[in-house]
Amino acid sequence: NFMEAMRDDIRAAGFDVPLFTADGPGQCRNGHVEGTLPAINGDDNPESIRDTVRKWNHGKGPFFSPEFYPGWLDHWGEQHASVPARDFIGKFDTLLASGISVSLYMLHGGTNFGFMNGANYGGRYQPQPTSYDYDAPVDEAGRPTPKYFALREVISRHLPAGTSLPPVPQPNPTIRIAPFELSQSAGLFDALPSPVRSGHTLTMEDIGQGYGYILYRTNVQSPGTGRLVINDLRDYGVVF
């Protein structure tokens, strides 16, 4: 119902471009909605992609991989993700040779600013660091890597006749910054907005806060002992 509502809102707003869903082959059962192209993530088998798309798209294409992974993201507490070009370059070549359209996720690594780094759930909570370098073919600083040139070589073999790839720009120069000292700070308890009062614990959604931190406070009316139990903490917690 949620996906159908998004589709309808996009159409009602006047967008008449083709729409697609991005799912793994086994997820189309619940992820595909009528009126959109079922596009298949992560599958490197051209016939499997065709079969899945035809199954959910009235027996026809086009055939599209919206997320083909030349790298992977990092999680706190884990090793930096590293995906060698040899692990995917042949699969990429096979898809292009088979007429499957491919979108690389990610071609260019980047940075998540503020609190927008997000998290995954792979049987446990897996928060992501600010960096989204992704071990991508173009790194977080915008520099082409050997992986980039390996992809470029494959793409050059599948260009229309009479076309060629433009030259690769030189990487932007880097600068050296002299050491400097941060001498100012602000205390957490000195920078609070007006409080929201409630008889029970509220979530961020309850008070219309998109992201950031919440300070929960209560007054203990009389001396006592006990345990503070916090179920499913989804971020970083400090108890004062």
Side-chain angles (χ1 to χ4, degrees), residues 7 53 55 57-58 60 70 73 79 118 124 128 135 163 166 170 172 180 186 195 209 213 216 223:
R7 175 202 61 198
V53 172
K55 178 179 179 180
N57 200 43
H58 306 287
K60 59 183 180 179
L73 49 86
Q79 293 294 318
R124 59 187 174 84
Q128 297 163 18
D135 193 31
T163 63
Q170 289 297 313
N172 288 326
F180 60 93
Q209 180 171 327
Y213 295 115
Y216 295 102

Side-chain angles (χ1 to χ4, degrees), residues 27 32 42 45 98 109 141-142 147 150 156 228:
Q27 297 168 328
H32 173 61
N45 185 319
S98 301
K147 189 183 293 184
S156 68
L228 173 65

Side-chain angles (χ1 to χ4, degrees), residues 87-100:
D87 287 0
F88 67 84
I89 202 72
K91 302 171 185 177
F92 180 63
D93 192 13
T94 297
L95 291 178
L96 295 186
S98 301
I100 307 294

